[in-house]
Amino acid sequence: MRYSYSVCRQNIASMARRWLVLGEGVRRLHVSAAFNAKAKVAMSRFEPGTSISYEKLHENIDIVRKRLNRPLTLSEKIVYGHLDDPVGQDIARGRTYLRLRPDRVAMQDATAQMAMLQFISSGLPKVAVPSTIHCDHLIEAQIGGVEDLKRAKEVNQEVYNFLATAGAKYGVGFWKPGSGIIHQIILENYAYPGVLLIGTDSHTPNGGGLGSICIGVGGADAVDVMAGIPWELKCPNVIGVKLTGSLSGWTSPKDVILKVAGILTVKGGTGAIVEYHGPGVDSISCTGMATICNMGAEIGATTSVFPYNHRMKTYLNKTGRADIAALADEHKDDLVPDKGCKYDQVIEINLSELKPHINGPFTPDLAHPVSEIGAVAEKNGWPLEVKVGLIGSCTNSSYEDMGRAASLAKQALDKGLKCKAAFTVTPGSEQIRATIERDGFSKILRDVGGVVLANACGPCIGQWDRKDVKKGEKNTIVTSYNRNFTSRNDANPATHAFVTSPEIVTALAIAGTLKFDPETDYLTAANGEKFKLEPPNGDELPARDFDPGQDTYQHPPAESGSVMVDVSPTSTRLQLLEPFDKWNGKDLEDLQVLIKVKGKCTTDHISAAGPWLKFRGHLDNISNNMLIGAINIENDAVNKIKNRLTGEYGGVPDVARHYKANGLSWVVVGDDNYGEGSSREHAALEPRHLGGRVILVKSFARIHETNLKKQGMLPLTFADPTDYDKIRPDDKISITGLATFAPGKPLKGVVKHGDGSQDIITLNHTFNENQVEWFHAGSALNRMKELQ
């Protein structure tokens, strides 16, 4: 069935009402006198026309359960409960593509720029589903929260103005800089049990801690949903993680996902939803469950989710959403897995036996018990001195996290100690910042030597103006973040970054060394006495309710006809998009190998963040960072490849531009799990913009593969992974069989070597019929316009 944009325009109003279902018809949530002040603030952030309905969810679940004639996992209930056509949809885990109707879209400011530019290009007047923009990525950590936020508002004024006016024009809520990190804001305001939400950030799964299916996507996917088009997702497999026992002592929710990452590795969850269940779930707080789901992105999972329970109800009540909790109670059967449901794989973890973990360096799946990391570091030559400890981020900045860290800091202060390492604290939201300031946690953390940064991503995504070490200087940092790829935090490839819980970060920052196990080792007080840190403790939620802090939300106006969205043609930060060329109907002949990438190649390698974030709204300027972090197999160098037209060596973007100017299309050859990490679609837009046509690898990360398809690229995989070894850096490759390009039908690659010899290899793809049309049209956005 085709979906035209004329239909979208006619149905925008009705589509915007698909939000939450109840028992006897759909009720609206209205602010009443019964709500406290915090609830009133929260309710004001729900866009006009949104409603909450579990009735439709239940109806779809019922239809699908009868069709499949088997019990359903929780993941299946929520995903299949949002099917566009539950009666006719072909459903097969890991095989078919589902057409879904998400309830909500969320975008962070770095990715929202390109998403909104694409939405503007669609020609539609308003978004069809509730959507929000969150300003969290562009604030650089330098001095401290107040100063850094002020500077960010000045430096990024043009971008913030674009996002604010575009949001107002097209019906998108706008969370101003200083509001907090997108995932924390979603958890506090928009996530609820049973919702299907997509976000333009890979850590969107954070919302799974509140029983939501929240999935990270590229901006083009967000545009589809905002336009009212059914969104496609390959039917996920479901990995079950059964939790028994209970957390205690030094062990935290972070240790659960650090352990799982060690088991599944960075690609073990690809194509699957990780569903936690079992009696151990109830020992974890709602925000602790969010931590676990958040870092599920590091195992390649589509998303992660927990079943609805009393910990979620308590959190909903505390964040002004008691009505939603009451509704969830009424429909709890649809918010937990069916008895007897089957998982594709099951992992069992006894929380009572789980020990504190620390993962890294350079990859988030290299898991070590904290008790062993000192010896492992010595053996491998990793620096033992901890230069900086960093807590907070979207993964670990809850009230509970901050309270437990503060309890350790207080013990140190009582003994006359401060942190030996530098120490930073990143609140996840304005609400968290205001509450921990009121309750004294911030003062304790500052007194022990900490610097409280802005409510933003900061060092977690490379927005860190680090001064204590020089680039290239070997050093160790420990963080409570989620990702620790090479150069990720500070642009220094010699920084050994380790990921752990806020509690362990705090303890190691106090001790100043990786050779410290807080469960067994002693510290020396100022008076010379030896003492051990007592296990951390902290309240799950504030006894006095949350302090909402400053109101940083801009509601879209009911009438936006007079709102102007300007993009200056001379801007270096923003650039209106030009459509990509359509496929010319021919095979792709003699594509030059631009670079054969060696080893891990994440989206950070393909399109670096840090200082490049300022160009996220300007495709041509940000394309100057394309693949500058990838390792060239020819010379083991970074950003140094041979220009086959001139014989000279140059940077990857420079050579690509030269090829494009001379009419030579090109291909990138890569290794396993290519494109893991962030959801940034710039890693797909840049190769297309600079003349690339094919990315040929052993395997892809899910989001990046989809992003490439959306931009009219051909993401292909070797049918025989050893064929990777047949490709030489100076080869040309032709892709044949495109005249009959179809789902499930491999293509052929003719590899032409410099010595005149050839290899013919089989190339697989995962395109479905709609995605083949994206390729024919030149991009998904082009195809969207064809259907108007």
Side-chain angles (χ1 to χ4, degrees), residues 57 99 212 321 358 403 469 493:
L57 184 73
R99 294 170 70 82
S212 310
R321 294 172 287 173
I358 184 168
V469 296

Side-chain angles (χ1 to χ4, degrees), residues 601-637:
C601 190
T602 71
T603 49
D604 279 275
H605 294 89
I606 304 167
S607 178
W612 291 96
L613 283 172
K614 60 178 172 286
F615 298 125
R616 284 285 181 87
H618 197 292
L619 179 55
D620 193 55
N621 282 346
I622 198 169
S623 292
N624 290 322
N625 78 357
M626 186 192 73
L627 286 160
I628 63 174
I631 298 174
N632 180 10
I633 200 169
E634 184 179 20
N635 54 13
D636 280 339

Side-chain angles (χ1 to χ4, degrees), residues 183-199:
H183 314 302
Q184 184 66 28
I185 298 294
I186 289 171
L187 197 73
E188 292 174 354
N189 295 273
Y190 301 125
Y192 63 83
V195 74
L196 175 60
L197 178 150
I198 67 166

Side-chain angles (χ1 to χ4, degrees), residues 140-154:
E140 185 181 47
Q142 193 177 76
I143 302 171
V146 175
E147 301 92 336
D148 294 347
L149 178 59
K150 180 181 178 181
R151 186 178 68 258
K153 288 179 178 179
E154 295 171 354

Side-chain angles (χ1 to χ4, degrees), residues 30-50:
H30 291 290
V31 180
S32 70
F35 283 100
N36 61 26
K38 178 66 186 78
K40 290 181 181 179
V41 173
M43 291 300 104
S44 72
R45 292 161 182 168
F46 292 129
E47 290 74 10
T50 62

Side-chain angles (χ1 to χ4, degrees), residues 593 596 667-670 694-698 716-728 731-737 745-753 758-765:
V593 172
K596 183 179 179 182
V667 55
V668 170
V669 178
V694 174
I695 308 294
L696 174 57
V697 301
K698 293 180 182 178
L716 304 174
T717 56
F718 297 102
D720 179 355
T722 63
D723 284 342
Y724 168 87
D725 299 320
K726 295 178 180 177
I727 309 296
R728 304 169 191 171
D731 284 345
K732 290 190 175 181
I733 303 175
S734 296
I735 308 299
T736 65
K745 185 177 181 180
L747 297 169
K748 291 292 183 183
V750 181
V751 183
K752 302 174 183 179
H753 306 300
Q758 293 186 355
D759 282 301
I760 298 178
I761 59 178
T762 301
L763 306 175
N764 292 335
H765 65 84

Side-chain angles (χ1 to χ4, degrees), residues 372-670:
E372 299 174 10
I373 187 61
V376 174
E378 281 187 315
K379 179 181 178 181
N380 288 283
W382 302 335
L384 290 173
E385 180 189 3
V386 175
K387 285 284 190 181
V388 190
L390 306 100
I391 67 169
S393 83
C394 66
T395 318
N396 276 112
S397 58
S398 67
Y399 184 83
E400 181 180 35
D401 288 330
M402 295 300 177
R404 284 168 65 88
S407 75
L408 297 174
K410 181 68 164 57
Q411 293 180 54
L413 289 169
D414 288 345
K415 296 293 185 178
L417 298 184
K418 290 192 174 185
C419 291
K420 289 185 178 179
F423 187 50
T424 71
V425 180
T426 305
S429 69
E430 169 62 9
Q431 177 170 269
I432 292 295
R433 184 210 62 79
T435 306
I436 65 172
E437 192 72 50
R438 179 199 68 193
D439 292 352
F441 297 166
S442 294
K443 183 179 187 306
I444 293 171
L445 295 171
R446 281 194 292 262
D447 288 347
V448 84
V451 175
V452 179
L453 300 174
N455 314 321
C457 299
C460 184
I461 58 158
Q463 285 285 61
W464 185 15
D465 186 21
R466 189 179 180 191
K467 302 291 189 183
D468 63 302
V469 296
K470 295 178 181 179
K471 190 169 183 178
E473 181 180 339
K474 197 173 177 182
N475 74 101
T476 285
I477 64 173
V478 291
T479 82
S480 69
Y481 303 161
N482 43 44
R483 195 163 280 165
N484 61 342
F485 302 142
T486 303
S487 303
R488 167 80 177 184
N489 302 121
D490 61 1
N492 181 4
T495 292
H496 293 55
F498 294 85
V499 176
T500 185
S501 67
E503 300 94 308
I504 296 298
V505 171
T506 305
L508 294 181
I510 293 168
T513 176
L514 287 179
K515 287 195 72 174
F516 178 71
D517 178 2
E519 289 192 295
T520 59
D521 293 342
Y522 287 80
L523 293 169
T524 302
N527 64 4
E529 72 172 312
K530 300 289 186 180
F531 74 98
K532 279 175 60 177
L533 291 170
E534 294 296 323
N537 64 81
D539 292 336
E540 178 178 347
L541 293 163
R544 291 191 285 163
D545 292 333
F546 284 106
D547 181 341
Q550 300 178 45
D551 186 2
T552 54
Y553 178 71
Q554 172 186 293
H555 201 286
E559 297 295 330
S560 59
S562 62
V563 177
M564 299 297 294
V565 182
D566 291 325
V567 176
S568 169
T570 60
S571 174
T572 61
R573 300 285 302 268
L574 299 165
Q575 180 186 46
L576 293 174
L577 298 174
E578 296 291 333
F580 292 128
D581 293 337
K582 293 183 178 182
W583 176 55
N584 64 9
K586 301 176 181 179
D587 285 338
L588 299 175
E589 296 285 349
D590 293 331
L591 302 177
Q592 179 66 57
V593 172
L594 177 69
I595 180 174
K596 183 179 179 182
V597 178
K598 178 181 178 181
K600 183 189 285 282
C601 190
T602 71
T603 49
D604 279 275
H605 294 89
I606 304 167
S607 178
W612 291 96
L613 283 172
K614 60 178 172 286
F615 298 125
R616 284 285 181 87
H618 197 292
L619 179 55
D620 193 55
N621 282 346
I622 198 169
S623 292
N624 290 322
N625 78 357
M626 186 192 73
L627 286 160
I628 63 174
I631 298 174
N632 180 10
I633 200 169
E634 184 179 20
N635 54 13
D636 280 339
V638 173
N639 200 30
K640 186 179 180 182
I641 62 173
K642 189 172 185 178
N643 186 323
R644 305 298 167 180
L645 296 180
T646 67
E648 299 176 350
Y649 280 87
V652 181
D654 301 323
V655 175
R657 286 185 187 276
H658 188 258
Y659 287 168
K660 181 181 179 181
N662 286 274
L664 179 61
S665 297
W666 47 264
V667 55
V668 170
V669 178

